[in-house]
Amino acid sequence: MAVMGDPSDEGFDDCFPLRTPPPSASKSKAAKSSTALAAESQAMESLAQALQKSATPQACTHLALALLARVPAAMLRLAMQELDRRLRRDFVDVLPMDISLRILEFLPAVDVARNVALVSRQWHAVATQQHLWQRHFRAQGWRLDDERWKMYCSFSCISDTDRALLHRSATQIASAFTTASPGTLAPAIASRRSMYALHREFASLYALEADGSPLMGSLAAALALPMPWRTPSPKSSSSSPQTCIIRDPASLSRFSGPNRHVRFCMSSSSHPPQPQPLARNVQHLHSLPVRRQSKPVDWRGVYAEHHQLLANWREGRCRVDRWESAHPESIYCVQFGRDNRVYTGSRDHTVRLWHLSETGSQITQLATLAGHTGSVLTLQADDTTLVTGSSDATVCVWDLATCTVRRRLQHADAVLSLRFSDKWLVTASKDRMLHVWRRDCDYAHAFALPGHAVAINAISLHGDMLVSASGDRTIKLWDLASRTCVHTLDEHTRGVATLDFDGVHIVSGSSDRSIRIWNALTGVCERTIANAHADLVRTVAFSRAMDVVVSGSYDETIKVWSFSTGALIHKFRNVHTSRVFKLMFDRTRIVSCSHDRSVSIIDFAADLPRARLLL
C-alpha cells in the first residue's frame, strides 16, 4: 500500500543523484607519461653511471652518437642547445692570467682596447694589464728610452714647492756665473763631479715640463760648467774668426782656449738679479728636498699615444712652429738630435746652436760660432764634435766642449756636403773630389775618390759604404774599405741634388723634380715618384721603420710620402715662404730651414708627451 505523499508513486523523481565523473583520459595519459619519463630518465642515468664505470670513453662516444642518430630533429635541436651551453666556457674565468694574456696577444691591439675591454669586468681587468700592452708595444718593434722615462717620472713627482726651490736656486746660480770673476768661480767649480751629477739629476728634467717652457733654461748648463771662461774683452769683434758669441753664458759646457773671445749679450732689464755666492747656491741645490720616485711604465698609455702619433703622421694632424729670422741671411743646413740641440749654418758665415724645448714650443739660442769667411753650407754634430763645411773651401772641426776649432781642412773649392762616422770623415766639394779623412788619426787625410764629372752636391755615409750624388746626373756607391765604386746609378735625367742612405736603400731627389728609391745592394731603382714637386727637390730623408719619405723643394713645400708605395701622405704648403734647403725628422717632428731665414718645426706630438720617449 502506497503511503500518501510519497513521491515515488507519481511516476517521476526530481532528485538527480550526484555522480563523480570518470578520470580524464588525457590527464591519466600525461601522468602515466611523466611517470614513464621519470622511470626512463632514472634508467638512462643508471645506464650512464654503469657505462662510466665499465665502458671506455670511445664506447661512450659511439653510444652517444648512436642515440643521437635516432633522435627526432626537434629533440636534436634541444640536445644541441644543451651541448652548446655545456661546451661554452669563459677562458678568462677558468685559465691563469698569464695564459689569458698570451691568447689576447694574437688579437690586434685596437680590438683589445675597443672591444675586449667591454665584454665584462674580468675581461676588462685582463685587457688593461700592463704586461699585455708591453708585449703589444714590443711586437711593433718600438723601443722606449729608459733614461728619458725615468726623467719624465721623476719630474712628475716633484712638488710645486720643490720646483720653486729649484727655480730660485737655479736663478741665483746663473746670475753668479754671469757676473762672477774667474777668482770667485774657482772654489765652487772645484767639485766638478757633483755639479755634473746635479746636471743629470735635475737639469734635464726641465725640458720635460708640460708646457714646454723650462723652469730655468740655463740651469743645466750652469751646473755643467766645469771651468771658468775668459772675462769679456771690450776689443773683441764678432766678425773675427773663432769668435764665440754666447747668448746664454750658462748654456755651454766650457768656454776656454787661446785666440778666442767671449762676448755676453746681457739682459736689457734695468734691475738685474743681485749676484749671490756661487758655492753657497750650489750647496743649497744639493740639499733641496726633492722627492724622486720610481714609477712603472704605463705601457698602455705609451702605446696609445704612439698609435695616435702614427695616425697624426697619416692624417697630417700637427702643430707648425716657425722661428723667424733665426739668422740674418739664408739658412742652408740644419741638424737636431735627441738632446734637443739644433745646429744651423747660414749665409752669414756663422753656425748657431739652439735648444729646442721638449714640446717644440720654444727655441732658445745658446751660442753663435764664427769660424768661416764664407757661407756655411753643410754641417754634422755629435755629442762632442761639430764639423762644418763652407763656400770658403774649408772644413772646420769644432770641439763643442771649448767651442774652438781643433782642425781646419782644405778643399780646392766650396765644400757642399760632409758626413762622418766613428772612423771616417768624408767631405764633398764643388771641385768634383771626395776626400776621406781618418777621425781616429786626428783627421789625417786618408785618400781621395775621383769619379764625378761636376760638383758633388750630397753624400751619405753608413759604415764603410758611401753614397755620393752629383750634378752629372749620377749617384755612386763607394766601398771605402776597398776604395772602389760598387754601383753607378744614372736614371735621373738632370742633376741629383740630394740623397739619403740607410745601408740598404737610397732615396734621391733631383732637378728633374722626381724622387727615386734605389736598392743599394743591387743598384736597381725600385720606385720612382715622378713630378714629386713643382721645382727642384733639394732635400730628402726617409725611415723604413716609419714607412715615410719626407722631401723639401724649391717650390716652398714639404711633402710626406709612403716609402713602401710612393703615395703622397700629406703636403705642407705654408711652412716656409721661400726655397726649402734642408730638413731632418724623427718620430715626432720635422725640422727644416729655408731661404726665408727661418727654422720651422712640424710637430706631430704636440699633445702627446709620452710619444717623445721612444728611441
Side-chain angles (χ1 to χ4, degrees):
M1 180 175 170
V3 179
M4 295 295 294
D6 189 353
S8 60
D9 60 347
E10 293 183 4
F12 71 95
D13 189 3
D14 60 358
C15 294
F16 189 83
L18 296 176
R19 300 177 181 178
T20 302
S24 171
S26 61
K27 289 185 178 181
S28 63
K29 186 175 181 180
K32 182 178 179 180
S33 175
S34 176
T35 304
L37 184 60
E40 290 176 0
S41 298
Q42 186 176 2
M44 294 300 295
E45 184 67 24
S46 300
L47 177 62
Q49 293 178 357
L51 287 173
Q52 186 177 6
K53 293 179 180 179
S54 59
T56 62
Q58 291 80 6
C60 293
T61 302
H62 288 306
L63 177 61
L65 293 175
L67 292 175
L68 287 174
R70 291 166 174 78
V71 172
M75 300 301 294
L76 186 61
R77 189 178 297 109
L78 295 176
M80 292 301 296
Q81 292 177 355
E82 179 64 19
L83 289 173
D84 183 64
R85 186 186 67 80
R86 289 177 176 269
L87 293 176
R88 185 179 297 168
R89 305 286 296 276
D90 187 349
F91 71 88
V92 173
D93 186 27
V94 300
L95 294 179
M97 177 68 75
D98 291 343
I99 299 178
S100 298
L101 291 175
R102 293 291 294 177
I103 293 174
L104 292 181
E105 282 183 38
F106 293 94
L107 292 177
V110 175
D111 290 340
V112 174
R114 294 180 180 176
N115 301 323
V116 173
L118 302 179
V119 173
S120 65
R121 291 184 179 180
Q122 289 178 320
W123 282 59
H124 182 272
V126 176
T128 55
Q129 286 289 317
Q130 295 297 336
H131 292 297
L132 174 63
W133 289 100
Q134 181 181 9
R135 291 168 182 169
H136 275 296
F137 183 87
R138 292 178 175 172
Q140 297 291 331
W142 303 337
R143 291 187 302 154
L144 189 67
D145 189 332
D146 294 333
E147 189 64 28
R148 290 170 69 86
W149 174 261
K150 291 177 183 177
M151 290 193 300
Y152 177 85
C153 294
S154 297
F155 183 80
S156 64
C157 296
I158 298 177
S159 66
D160 293 338
T161 303
D162 291 339
R163 293 190 195 193
L165 289 172
L166 287 170
H167 178 71
R168 183 165 60 252
S169 185
T171 304
Q172 293 170 353
I173 289 175
S175 174
F177 268 108
T178 302
T179 59
S181 63
T184 60
L185 286 171
I189 297 173
S191 70
R192 180 189 308 182
R193 292 184 179 180
S194 64
M195 298 179 75
Y196 272 119
L198 282 169
H199 164 57
R200 292 192 301 269
E201 186 82 18
F202 299 110
S204 298
L205 303 179
Y206 300 142
L208 297 172
E209 191 168 13
D211 62 358
S213 56
L215 292 175
M216 184 61 193
S218 60
L219 174 64
L223 294 176
L225 284 170
M227 296 186 65
W229 53 78
R230 291 176 176 267
T231 54
S233 171
K235 296 181 180 180
S236 62
S237 172
S238 61
S239 61
S240 60
Q242 300 190 45
T243 296
C244 179
I245 304 172
I246 307 302
R247 298 297 177 185
D248 182 352
S251 59
L252 296 177
S253 296
R254 281 199 295 264
F255 308 118
S256 64
N259 303 321
R260 194 175 60 82
H261 303 286
V262 177
R263 184 156 57 90
F264 298 142
C265 299
M266 301 301 295
S267 173
S268 59
S269 174
S270 59
H271 301 285
Q274 294 298 319
Q276 301 291 332
L278 183 60
R280 188 177 67 191
N281 289 316
V282 173
Q283 183 180 6
H284 174 60
L285 192 59
H286 270 290
S287 63
L288 287 178
V290 177
R291 295 178 291 275
R292 296 172 295 279
Q293 302 179 11
S294 176
K295 297 173 65 176
V297 177
D298 179 11
W299 291 104
R300 188 184 182 206
V302 173
Y303 187 101
E305 289 199 7
H306 194 64
H307 181 76
Q308 182 62 50
L309 174 66
L310 297 180
N312 290 350
W313 274 89
R314 291 192 302 268
E315 299 169 15
R317 290 195 298 264
C318 63
R319 183 190 68 206
V320 178
D321 296 304
R322 187 176 173 202
W323 311 104
E324 302 282 355
S325 301
H327 281 262
E329 297 193 55
S330 303
I331 304 174
Y332 291 125
C333 49
V334 65
Q335 177 187 314
F336 80 103
R338 292 191 60 79
D339 59 355
N340 289 330
R341 280 199 177 183
V342 180
Y343 303 82
T344 55
S346 169
R347 189 180 178 184
D348 64 8
H349 306 177
T350 67
V351 176
R352 292 190 176 182
L353 280 64
W354 312 81
H355 177 267
L356 182 64
S357 67
E358 189 68 19
T359 61
S361 60
Q362 292 188 1
I363 188 169
T364 305
Q365 184 180 341
L366 302 180
T368 298
L369 306 180
H372 288 285
T373 58
S375 301
V376 180
L377 303 177
T378 179
L379 61 81
Q380 184 181 348
D382 62 12
D383 293 338
T384 61
T385 304
L386 169 68
V387 183
T388 58
S390 169
S391 61
D392 63 9
T394 65
V395 175
C396 288
V397 181
W398 300 80
D399 184 352
L400 288 178
T402 61
C403 293
T404 57
V405 177
R406 286 178 49 199
R407 291 275 291 168
R408 192 179 294 271
L409 312 175
Q410 193 70 41
H411 266 271
D413 208 335
V415 180
L416 303 182
S417 184
L418 63 84
R419 281 294 176 267
F420 66 76
S421 62
D422 293 338
K423 182 179 180 181
W424 307 107
L425 165 63
V426 183
T427 56
S429 171
K430 199 173 180 180
D431 61 12
R432 300 173 292 174
M433 295 295 295
L434 291 165
H435 284 289
V436 183
W437 319 78
R438 292 292 299 266
R439 291 193 72 197
D440 53 357
C441 296
D442 197 24
Y443 297 93
H445 187 267
F447 54 90
L449 295 173
H452 283 289
V454 296
I456 303 172
N457 296 318
I459 59 174
S460 186
L461 180 64
H462 192 277
D464 284 338
M465 302 305 296
L466 172 71
V467 182
S468 59
S470 171
D472 62 9
R473 307 179 185 180
T474 66
I475 299 170
K476 291 183 180 291
L477 178 65
W478 307 84
D479 183 355
L480 297 183
S482 62
R483 306 184 185 184
T484 59
C485 179
V486 179
H487 294 297
T488 298
L489 316 177
D490 56 1
E491 294 189 23
H492 279 291
T493 58
R494 296 188 65 183
V496 185
T498 181
L499 59 80
D500 194 14
F501 175 50
D502 69 350
V504 178
H505 286 89
I506 303 168
V507 176
S508 60
S510 168
S511 298
D512 62 13
R513 301 180 296 175
S514 71
I515 297 173
R516 293 180 184 266
I517 301 175
W518 313 78
N519 188 314
L521 304 179
T522 62
V524 175
C525 181
E526 296 182 347
R527 195 168 301 106
T528 300
I529 306 175
N531 297 317
H533 284 271
D535 206 334
L536 178 148
V537 182
R538 175 61 188 267
T539 176
V540 294
F542 77 99
S543 169
R544 284 186 295 161
M546 295 177 60
D547 190 36
V548 295
V549 176
V550 184
S551 61
S553 169
Y554 279 4
D555 66 5
E556 305 176 6
T557 65
I558 293 175
K559 295 184 179 182
V560 180
W561 312 83
S562 169
F563 175 84
S564 57
T565 65
L568 178 64
I569 298 175
H570 202 74
K571 178 179 180 180
F572 298 96
R573 296 178 181 272
N574 301 317
V575 177
H576 289 287
T577 59
S578 188
R579 297 174 173 180
V580 180
F581 284 139
K582 184 66 176 178
L583 61 79
M584 295 183 68
F585 74 93
D586 61 9
R587 288 184 179 272
T588 61
R589 54 198 169 198
I590 303 170
V591 178
S592 59
C593 63
S594 167
H595 182 66
D596 61 12
R597 303 176 297 170
S598 71
V599 174
S600 292
I601 300 168
I602 303 173
D603 193 347
F604 298 94
D607 300 321
L608 306 173
R610 287 178 291 189
R612 303 186 192 278
L613 304 179
L614 272 69
L615 291 173

